Amino acid sequence: MPDKMGTEGKLSGKELDEKEKVREEIEKLRKEIQYHDWRYYVLNDPIISDAEYDNLLRRLKELEEKYPDLITPDSPTQRVGEKIEGEFPTFPHSIPMLSLDNAFSEEEIYEFEERLKRFIGDEGIVFEYSVEPKVDGVSIEIIYENGVFTKALTRGDGVYGEDVSPNVKTIKSIPLRLLGDNIPEYIEVRGEIFMKRDEFEKLNKELLSQGKKPFANPRNACAGSLKQIDPAETAKRKLDAVFYGNGIIRGVEIKNQKELLENLKNWGFKVVPEWKIVKGIKETIEHINHIYSKHKEFPFESDGVVIKVNDFKLRSILGEKAKSPRWAIAYKFPAEEVTTRLLWVEFQVGRTGTLTPVAILEPVRISGVLVSRATLHNFDEIRRKNIKIGDWVWVKRSGDVIPEVIKSIEDRRKGIEIDIEEPKKCPACGADLYRPEDEVALRCPNMSCPAQLIERVKHLVSRNAFDIEGLGETFIENLVSKGIIKDISDVFYLRKIDLLKFQGVGNILATKIIERINKKKEIPLHRFIFALGIRHVGESVAKMIAKRFKTLDSFLKANYQEIASIYGLGPAVAQSVVSFLKDEKNKMSIKRMLEAGVKVLDYKEEDQQIKKGKLSGKIFVFTGTLKSMTREEAKKLVIENGGKVTDTITSSVSYLVVGDLEGKTTTSKLQKAEKLGIKKITEEEFLKMIKE
């Protein structure tokens, strides 16, 4: 009969007694160390010295080295594991990690509650809300089984997340085993991992001293730290975490957000600070103002407040929309504006040749981000705002929007400021610049321009095009500058030997990148058209074109009349597409991609079925900056409600949605709309159309 006792079955009685004593001491040490970790990293209230703590940890290591079979995954000695081999594996979230709708004013918070009341069908209901600071970090879900840490997943795309467990285990404020009583048999805890402001500053100083590029903000630094292949490197970054939500819970009944936060704290987690349960929107706004007055004191960056219905039963009744829960909303703090000096102006060339003047600023921190560059839009804007090199200027940054120079401070001039002159030549390739009729932007006509090529390759590999991971901006710049990529089609001819020429790229990484490229060679027609980077052809226009022509062959033979006749498009799009397809260099690029094994799938109606909805039959164009959403989010909203979006004003357009024109009195789209008698509506009127 086999010995089921394993190695312990071979020990003498005395040795077994000794081992049992060691097991008890190990368990006692683990609990002690975990308790002191909680006091130090969660409560910030240690009760022993560092030396005493080190002695406890040293003793535990000695015992585990003597009896390695007693080591468990949740032991404090196991926080830093071995290097990660291969890619981070992905796993599905049992409940999707949805994003939140945004509100930017008190009126929109009141509207949020009105929507809840209408959905419930009770105008007199008084909602309880949990009002919590919004943490600007990396969303995480940690799974505990019988109180023990088993897996940590990033948010990913909301449906699938990457398993970053080895790196998350290095964060000492996250328990490897839950504390206290009433521990659930299974729980998915959700929160945010972040890098403290002082640790961020320290890390950037270290990177600069090594001649490396610093991180733009703590969130980027945190995300980069979580993706280290060596957990020891992540441990050095001293990340932290707070928690505020959950997925599935089994074994414990939790009825509301208040109970959840209290339980999380009792189980050993840091929870979001300054949270409060309030009744109605008036109390909600009062606590928002309180959090706003405190948000600079938080150890993490915070750009707003999250408002959640407290009662979990009500949440289940309210349910979710396609990408966000109905029962929660994020209120964003007002855009922050600061003053700094404009030191110089550089000219950035986009993928379609558009030249954008960029202000080089004396570095200044705005909403937690160190800003040294800001857009000046175009030369009409520079003249209108009377901006000069050497000026003190106001700079604004709102959310993830690119910082912009709002205006100059003329009263602070000393008479040594320099006018910003329009360049005559492309700064990247030296070609003569030109300004198309009815446009404010200067353009470079050279399609071989290296700056355009870099942007076109970035566009080609982006998520909504070929979606090839691993080819970041710096990597692409190096590939172009060294002449390895001379055309967008060269992406599909990259070899391992090409990638191994770059510092930091080893055999494993080079192999992965080539594998990723090969896996993404099959692509639907609409995404292929979008990936080509044709001017005026965004995602929605690419889908409309794909629906009309169905196959790649038909699209490549398309003429001006066929494209212009597509409902919702017009002469500008048609001319741009035809010019692109007639260009011999573009023809060769497409041919080389197909020869490299790129397979373009025919359009299928069921894949791109146009929804029936409130905006069916209506075509929208947007101009100006929207305050409640990005332009892309607005376009998706139109499509989700059955409408269509185009970038060009034609007689078939139903509405021109006019956002903030940033001081301009008109735009070319506005002028064309007025000539054609197209109805102009505000962002608020557009949102009202959808609500009604």
Side-chain angles (χ1 to χ4, degrees), residues 47-226:
I47 56 173
I48 62 171
S49 67
D50 288 351
E52 289 173 289
Y53 179 88
D54 290 342
N55 286 336
L56 291 172
L57 194 59
R58 190 179 299 113
R59 175 61 177 161
L60 178 60
K61 284 179 180 176
E62 286 172 2
L63 293 174
E64 288 185 343
E65 283 170 9
K66 188 174 180 181
Y67 294 95
D69 57 312
L70 296 182
I71 297 173
T72 59
D74 61 315
S75 173
T77 62
Q78 302 304 298
R79 280 198 177 271
V80 181
E82 299 297 319
K83 285 188 179 181
I84 298 159
E85 294 294 332
E87 295 185 16
F88 291 92
T90 58
F91 292 92
H93 298 290
S94 56
I95 299 173
M97 294 180 71
L98 302 175
S99 55
L100 295 176
D101 286 341
N102 291 325
F104 294 86
S105 65
E106 289 185 11
E107 291 76 14
E108 288 175 282
I109 301 174
Y110 277 104
E111 286 173 12
F112 163 67
E113 183 170 74
E114 290 304 314
R115 289 197 297 273
L116 298 185
K117 288 179 177 179
R118 286 197 297 271
F119 193 90
I120 295 290
D122 182 356
E123 291 296 322
I125 189 172
V126 178
F127 286 101
E128 271 192 344
Y129 300 107
S130 178
V131 183
E132 308 162 11
K134 186 174 179 293
V135 185
D136 192 15
V138 177
S139 297
I140 199 77
E141 175 180 77
I142 307 179
I143 300 168
Y144 290 82
E145 296 183 44
N146 297 314
V148 177
F149 179 117
T150 58
K151 190 178 290 180
L153 301 176
T154 62
R155 180 180 178 275
D157 63 2
V159 178
Y160 285 84
E162 289 184 300
D163 183 351
V164 289
S165 303
N167 290 339
V168 171
K169 285 176 76 173
T170 68
I171 303 170
K172 292 192 175 180
S173 58
I174 294 176
L176 298 181
R177 180 184 286 271
L178 301 185
L179 296 173
D181 302 319
N182 197 31
I183 290 171
E185 62 185 56
Y186 179 92
I187 184 169
E188 297 165 352
V189 183
R190 293 177 175 181
E192 211 83 7
I193 294 176
F194 63 91
M195 182 175 284
K196 291 180 180 177
R197 291 186 176 96
D198 55 347
E199 291 296 334
F200 171 68
E201 298 291 349
K202 195 186 299 179
L203 173 62
N204 269 354
K205 282 180 184 176
E206 188 180 316
L207 291 172
L208 286 168
S209 70
Q210 296 168 1
K212 295 178 181 177
K213 186 177 178 181
F215 286 103
N217 55 57
R219 180 176 54 183
N220 287 357
C222 179
S225 301
L226 277 179

Side-chain angles (χ1 to χ4, degrees), residues 283-348:
E283 286 186 22
T284 298
I285 290 169
E286 286 174 3
H287 197 57
I288 285 173
N289 292 333
H290 170 74
I291 290 175
Y292 183 64
S293 70
K294 293 267 189 180
H295 81 286
K296 295 287 187 185
E297 301 170 21
F298 298 150
F300 49 79
E301 298 293 344
S302 177
D303 61 351
V305 170
V306 179
I307 305 158
K308 306 171 182 175
V309 170
N310 183 37
D311 188 273
F312 284 5
K313 277 189 180 177
L314 272 177
R315 288 188 187 183
S316 65
I317 294 168
L318 290 163
E320 289 84 26
K321 297 181 285 183
K323 295 182 180 178
S324 59
R326 283 194 184 86
W327 45 264
I329 196 166
Y331 169 78
K332 292 296 191 78
F333 293 144
E336 192 171 342
E337 298 177 6
V338 300
T339 61
T340 187
R341 285 187 68 222
L342 193 157
L343 305 177
W344 194 246
V345 175
E346 288 182 357
F347 301 100
Q348 188 173 298

Side-chain angles (χ1 to χ4, degrees), residues 533-590:
I534 305 169
R535 192 173 171 223
H536 296 316
V537 179
E539 286 181 77
S540 56
V541 171
K543 287 176 184 176
M544 293 161 75
I545 293 171
K547 184 183 179 184
R548 164 65 178 79
F549 294 103
K550 301 289 191 296
T551 69
L552 178 62
D553 285 344
S554 297
F555 167 66
L556 296 178
K557 295 171 186 173
N559 60 41
Y560 176 88
Q561 287 75 21
E562 288 172 328
I563 298 168
S565 66
I566 297 173
Y567 185 65
L569 303 189
V573 174
Q575 188 57 58
S576 179
V577 174
V578 170
S579 298
F580 183 92
L581 294 177
K582 282 183 177 178
D583 187 280
E584 290 301 322
K585 287 183 180 178
N586 295 331
K587 285 182 183 179
M588 183 55 67
S589 289
I590 294 169

Side-chain angles (χ1 to χ4, degrees), residues 644-655:
K644 296 180 180 178
V645 183
T646 180
D647 294 323
T648 309
I649 294 289
T650 66
S651 57
S652 61
V653 170
S654 312
Y655 298 98

Side-chain angles (χ1 to χ4, degrees), residues 477-510:
E477 287 172 359
N478 288 333
L479 288 166
V480 171
S481 67
K482 291 189 180 298
I484 295 170
I485 288 182
K486 297 177 181 177
D487 180 86
I488 59 171
S489 60
D490 288 336
V491 168
F492 301 99
Y493 290 88
L494 286 173
R495 303 165 301 166
K496 268 207 303 185
I497 194 171
D498 297 323
L499 307 179
L500 291 169
K501 294 176 182 177
F502 298 102
Q503 187 177 1
V505 179
N507 188 60
I508 293 174
L509 179 57

Side-chain angles (χ1 to χ4, degrees), residues 32-53:
E32 262 193 277
I33 292 167
Q34 185 183 21
Y35 174 74
H36 291 302
D37 278 345
W38 176 66
R39 300 280 321 190
Y40 187 91
Y41 294 104
V42 177
L43 300 185
N44 197 26
D45 183 25
I47 56 173
I48 62 171
S49 67
D50 288 351
E52 289 173 289
Y53 179 88

Side-chain angles (χ1 to χ4, degrees), residues 371-434:
V371 173
S372 58
R373 298 165 68 86
T375 182
L376 291 165
H377 296 294
N378 54 59
F379 282 94
D380 281 10
E381 284 291 281
I382 290 171
R383 284 188 285 269
R384 185 182 65 77
K385 295 174 181 175
N386 190 22
I387 296 170
K388 298 186 177 188
I389 294 168
D391 269 344
W392 280 90
V393 292
W394 281 100
V395 182
K396 179 175 81 171
R397 179 182 180 271
S398 178
D400 290 327
V401 177
I402 298 168
E404 64 169 323
V405 175
I406 305 168
K407 63 179 180 179
S408 62
I409 308 173
E410 295 182 33
D411 290 345
R412 297 186 69 172
R413 283 184 179 161
K414 296 181 179 178
I416 57 173
E417 293 75 19
I418 305 168
D419 289 334
I420 301 168
E421 296 183 3
E422 288 190 22
K424 305 296 183 188
K425 303 278 187 182
C426 172
C429 69
D432 291 334
L433 299 173
Y434 75 104

